Amino acid sequence: MVRNKCIQLCFFLLGLICVIPVVAQAQESSMIQDSIYSETLQEMRKIEVIYPKGYNPAAANKYEVLYCLEGIPGFAKMEYNFLAGEGFVPNLVLVGLPNSVRNGENMRDRDFTPTHTYGETGGADRFLLFLKKELLPYIQTHYPVKSNGHILYGGSLCGFFAVYTFLKDPALFTS
């Protein structure tokens, strides 16, 4: 019994030791709040931007972009900082796209589904057009990013949209 408690305590402390540096590193990056009006979607879209660690605005460096389809929640920010800190991902700019809300309703079903099945679903083609014709050019104009090497990130319905995007326009994102 005592041995099991000691083992549990050791695993807890080990986990804490691993997590604390990640949390501290994640808090180093500050998020920039931006927005763009989309003619395609007929709405204002919020944008969250995080520069890579060591970013110097005076330098002429250009970075790849990781587009997070549901914004940059704390976990994704920590996950990115951990992976970048361990050398698994290059220095890149994180761009989060929080879901739109209209009349108290989250519009993710509209934006990430390719076919109409109920309500306002089936707007994936319009959202893809927004990404291609409005958002990516806006980010390239206003932030120090490369014209290629973009990554589309999303899970669940956003992951479904990422696969749909790959099938519809495979050259738009590299991964």
Side-chain angles (χ1 to χ4, degrees):
M1 178 84 164
V2 171
R3 184 170 185 255
N4 286 344
K5 293 286 184 186
C6 287
I7 291 172
Q8 288 175 345
L9 180 62
C10 287
F11 277 115
F12 173 76
L13 292 175
L14 180 61
L16 197 58
I17 289 168
C18 292
V19 169
I20 287 174
V22 173
V23 171
Q25 189 178 21
Q27 292 173 345
E28 287 178 14
S29 303
S30 59
M31 192 161 26
I32 297 166
Q33 300 291 329
D34 197 352
S35 61
I36 179 176
Y37 182 78
S38 170
E39 291 292 334
T40 304
L41 302 174
Q42 295 293 298
E43 66 188 13
M44 186 64 76
R45 293 301 302 227
K46 292 180 182 175
I47 304 169
E48 305 163 339
V49 179
I50 297 178
Y51 288 118
K53 187 176 181 185
Y55 168 71
N56 178 358
N61 295 344
K62 299 274 186 182
Y63 301 95
E64 294 178 7
V65 184
L66 174 72
Y67 290 92
C68 299
L69 288 173
E70 285 191 292
I72 305 173
F75 180 74
K77 186 176 173 184
M78 286 182 4
E79 186 178 60
Y80 163 73
N81 281 327
F82 175 73
L83 293 172
E86 294 298 317
F88 291 116
V89 293
N91 271 349
L92 44 78
V93 172
L94 256 60
V95 173
L97 301 168
N99 294 316
S100 286
V101 176
R102 186 184 329 148
N103 299 327
E105 184 180 341
N106 190 320
M107 302 308 290
R108 67 192 307 270
D109 290 352
R110 175 199 68 185
D111 293 339
F112 302 139
T113 55
T115 55
H116 176 73
T117 54
Y118 64 89
E120 292 191 53
T121 58
D125 287 328
R126 284 189 19 216
F127 192 76
L128 180 56
L129 188 62
F130 157 69
L131 291 177
K132 185 175 186 172
K133 299 291 184 183
E134 297 174 336
L135 182 68
L136 272 68
Y138 178 84
I139 296 297
Q140 288 176 347
T141 302
H142 293 86
Y143 296 95
V145 301
K146 296 178 179 179
S147 60
N148 58 9
H150 306 303
I151 303 163
L152 189 60
Y153 171 83
S156 187
L157 194 53
C158 296
F160 176 71
F161 176 78
V163 171
Y164 179 75
T165 299
F166 174 72
L167 294 171
K168 285 290 273 195
D169 196 345
L172 190 58
F173 296 94
T174 57
S175 60

